[in-house]
Amino acid sequence: MDQLDILWSEREIRAVLQRYCRGLDRLDEELLKSAYHEDAYDDRGVIRGNAHDFAKQIVPLLREAYTGTFHTLHGSTIEIDGDTAGVETYCTAYHYRDGDGVRRVEQYPGRYVDRFERRDGVWKIARRIVLNEPSLVQEVPLDPAEAQAGFNPSRRDPSDASYQVLPLRGPDAPTL
C-alpha cells in the first residue's frame, strides 16, 4: 500500500466509526447497520452475535429506555494490512433518563476493538469487541425551561438538523 492509500483508508475507517455513533444517537437503524458488513460479529458481553441483528435490537431498546444518548470517540489506533485493519478506539457513551425532576446521566467509558475489512473497495467493521471501564452515574436537577432556553433542540430521528446537511446514509454519502 502506498502512503496515500493508507491515509485514505484511515479517513474512511474514522468515517465509519462516526457513522456508527450517529446511527446510535439518531436511533437510525439503517445508518447503524451501514457501519458493519452484513456478516459482522458484535460482542459487548451482554449481547453477542450478528451486528445487523444487534442494530435491530438496540435501536428500540435505546428509544424506550433513554431520553437521549451521546456517543463520543476519542483517539483511535489504526493498523492497516492490505484490505484488513486492526482498530482500537477509546470512547464514552452518555445515556440520559429524565423523570421526577431529575436527569440521570450514565457515563460508560470504554474501547471499541475492531477488525475492519475492505470489501469491494468499502471499509466496514467485520468484528467488534466492546471493552468497558468503570462507569459513573449521576443525578442532576432537571429544569428544561431554564437549562435549555434559547438552544436548538437535538432530535433522535430524521427531524434532527443534521439530516439537513447529511441527508444520505452509509458509504455512498458524499463528503462535504
Side-chain angles (χ1 to χ4, degrees), residues 72-90:
T72 62
L73 300 174
H74 309 296
S76 291
T77 301
I78 301 172
E79 302 261 341
I80 297 172
D81 183 14
D83 287 333
T84 64
V87 181
E88 178 189 45
T89 304
Y90 285 74

Side-chain angles (χ1 to χ4, degrees), residues 49-117:
N50 178 273
H52 283 219
D53 290 341
F54 161 73
K56 290 177 194 173
Q57 293 172 358
I58 198 66
V59 167
L61 186 140
L62 291 175
R63 182 177 287 115
E64 293 170 22
Y66 297 101
T67 307
T69 61
F70 192 83
H71 290 76
T72 62
L73 300 174
H74 309 296
S76 291
T77 301
I78 301 172
E79 302 261 341
I80 297 172
D81 183 14
D83 287 333
T84 64
V87 181
E88 178 189 45
T89 304
Y90 285 74
C91 56
T92 305
Y94 301 88
H95 295 182
Y96 311 109
R97 299 175 199 250
D98 294 347
D100 297 327
V102 297
R103 170 168 282 171
R104 180 182 171 99
V105 180
E106 303 168 10
Q107 297 177 44
Y108 299 102
R111 291 176 288 139
Y112 301 132
V113 178
D114 297 323
R115 175 184 168 89
F116 273 73
E117 293 179 3

Side-chain angles (χ1 to χ4, degrees), residues 122-157:
V122 178
W123 286 102
K124 291 186 181 184
I125 301 165
R127 181 171 177 82
R128 167 167 278 182
I129 299 172
V130 179
L131 303 175
N132 289 311
E133 300 292 335
S135 60
L136 173 66
V137 177
Q138 296 176 301
E139 288 189 354
V140 295
L142 180 63
D143 184 357
E146 183 180 324
Q148 298 298 318
F151 287 97
N152 294 317
S154 179
R155 305 275 188 232
R156 299 175 79 199
D157 57 39

